[in-house]
Amino acid sequence: MSEALKVSGVVLPDGRRRDVYVRDGAITYEPVDGARDLGEGWIVPGLVDAHCHIGIDARGGETDAASAEEHAIVNRDAGTLLVRDCGSVHDTHWIDDRADLPRVVRCGRHIARTRRYIRGFAHEIEPPELVTYVQQEARRGDGWVKLVGDWIDREIGDLAPAWPRVAIRDAIAAAHDLGARVTVHVFGEQALPDLLDARVDCIEHGAGLGQETIAQMVEQRTAYVPTALQLNNFPDFAAQAAAKFPAYAKHMRDLHARRKDTVLAAYEAGVPIYCGSDAGGVRPHGTGRDEIAELGAYGIPAFDALGAGSWRAREWLGFDGALTEGSAADFLVVPRDPLADLAALAEPSHIVLRGAVVSAR
Ligand SMILES: [Zn+2]
């Protein structure tokens, strides 16, 4: 049983100034005798990284449990208290037994078409096997399955859909039958219509979204995790491939050039947007809060950018969003108003997870 805590200040998202108490891992607004006083600040529900790869880093997927633990701690100490693991080679369910590590919602392992993803990360399979693999990962994950929906097709020399329409339809239906949601890596335009027609639940990256696909997402309440910081890397991906695949390189540069307009168009249309850093592989862990700031820099109002990486994302993933009476005590205390400057999220005085201070300065 952890010690009782008290913290005072403006509680987000509702913005009321209150004394907040923590007892037995939960929030209460009834004073608790003897609670340790953490002082004052802005009190923000735990940050969410909705696209993260625990156990994958710059070395690829060839890491061990110690690396996964390290990634979990780096993310936690940056204020990310809930992760949707968007595909990992490793089974990290052991993290669930560690009260000091972030909560993790898993997608299982990526499912990709043969030779159509970063080597070593995914189950690489062919369309007739897709339903079986989706069912397998739906059972191994925590209610999500991750597909790779497009990648460079070396014969075409450009991005192309990875799966035939019928395979996508059957795969998503199979996941839904098992109660799992499906999220899909999509960089370009072409793979989107089949996925949306099959009622995919979430689009990752989505740099090829346009008016029609955005309208369909709004209508179907399809979620969108732009991974804006990863979209910034598209010119690098283009440069690496330019000599052999000039059409692909041009396509990636075009997607990059309009990425801010694309994300803002989805936001303004009302697509539910959530923050994901895409940490693991190319991008470093512990950058969930940077993604929030990046969406803010795109022009998304600070309240909505922060909500996309905090209370709204928590609710979307099935956790308590706002810090209401009895909700899980997962929060950050920051010394100045994060809605005035999202960079304040990088200066937490205390990080509280499951009612215990896990990081302080
Ligand atoms: Zn990813």
Side-chain angles (χ1 to χ4, degrees):
M1 198 119 309
S2 54
E3 63 177 338
L5 304 171
K6 177 191 179 187
V7 60
S8 306
V10 175
V11 182
L12 295 179
D14 73 355
R16 285 174 64 192
R17 178 171 288 278
R18 306 187 76 169
D19 292 335
V20 182
Y21 293 86
V22 174
R23 187 178 50 200
D24 301 337
I27 298 289
T28 179
Y29 291 95
E30 287 172 20
V32 179
D33 284 343
R36 177 157 72 100
D37 196 342
L38 302 182
E40 298 226 349
W42 274 258
I43 301 154
V44 184
L47 304 185
V48 178
D49 191 338
H51 185 138
C52 186
H53 304 281
I54 303 273
I56 295 180
D57 59 24
R59 295 164 294 173
E62 300 303 312
T63 58
D64 53 15
S67 314
E69 180 186 29
E70 193 184 303
H71 303 155
I73 291 171
V74 166
N75 285 306
R76 178 200 71 191
D77 290 349
T80 295
L81 302 182
L82 172 60
V83 165
R84 186 181 56 150
D85 191 298
C86 228
S88 185
V89 180
H90 308 282
D91 181 354
T92 60
H93 273 97
W94 58 268
I95 290 177
D96 298 349
D97 298 327
R98 287 275 301 271
D100 63 321
L101 298 180
R103 302 176 198 268
V104 181
V105 172
R106 296 166 187 77
C107 296
R109 187 172 181 174
H110 298 83
I111 302 172
R113 188 83 179 264
T114 315
R115 287 176 43 78
R116 299 288 300 281
Y117 197 54
I118 306 164
R119 192 191 301 199
F121 283 13
H123 292 298
E124 296 192 15
I125 60 161
E126 288 300 294
E129 306 167 284
L130 184 57
V131 165
T132 304
Y133 273 83
V134 163
Q135 288 168 333
Q136 171 190 305
E137 295 309 304
R139 291 191 181 101
R140 289 175 55 191
D142 303 317
W144 283 90
V145 174
K146 170 75 177 292
L147 304 181
V148 178
D150 70 358
W151 196 251
I152 185 169
D153 181 326
R154 290 171 181 79
E155 280 168 26
I156 300 172
D158 197 353
L159 285 174
W163 309 100
R165 182 175 172 85
V166 173
I168 281 292
R169 183 196 66 196
D170 293 350
I172 292 175
H176 289 171
D177 284 346
L178 291 173
R181 291 188 270 185
V182 178
T183 193
V184 184
H185 159 115
V186 193
F187 278 170
E189 300 86 350
Q190 274 182 287
L192 289 165
D194 288 352
L195 289 162
L196 292 171
D197 287 348
R199 298 216 157 236
V200 70
D201 300 279
C202 182
I203 299 291
E204 310 294 318
H205 317 300
L209 286 170
Q211 224 173 357
E212 276 178 38
T213 42
I214 286 172
Q216 195 172 355
M217 287 176 79
V218 172
E219 192 199 310
Q220 297 178 180
R221 302 304 293 158
T222 316
Y224 178 32
V225 178
T227 69
L229 293 169
Q230 184 69 289
L231 304 184
N232 292 346
N233 291 326
F234 278 21
D236 292 342
F237 303 158
Q240 286 157 19
K244 258 172 122 177
F245 304 110
Y248 168 81
K250 180 182 182 305
H251 195 174
M252 292 297 279
R253 288 193 185 103
D254 288 348
L255 293 168
H256 175 263
R258 61 175 194 268
R259 72 197 186 288
K260 294 183 185 176
D261 294 337
T262 303
V263 173
L264 273 179
Y267 166 76
E268 277 159 12
V271 173
I273 289 181
Y274 303 103
C275 289
S277 72
D278 206 0
V282 179
R283 299 215 59 266
H285 286 275
T287 54
R289 62 194 180 196
D290 302 331
E291 178 73 14
I292 296 170
E294 184 75 355
L295 291 186
Y298 274 25
I300 294 179
F303 184 85
D304 287 340
L306 183 49
S310 174
W311 55 90
R312 284 189 194 141
R314 293 180 65 86
E315 273 175 15
W316 173 59
L317 294 172
F319 292 80
D320 297 321
L323 299 166
T324 51
E325 180 76 27
S327 68
D330 292 7
F331 61 85
L332 288 67
V333 186
V334 294
R336 57 196 178 94
D337 184 0
L339 298 180
D341 179 9
L342 290 167
L345 296 170
E347 306 158 13
S349 63
H350 297 85
I351 297 173
V352 175
L353 173 61
R354 297 184 180 89
V357 176
V358 289
S359 178
R361 69 169 175 190

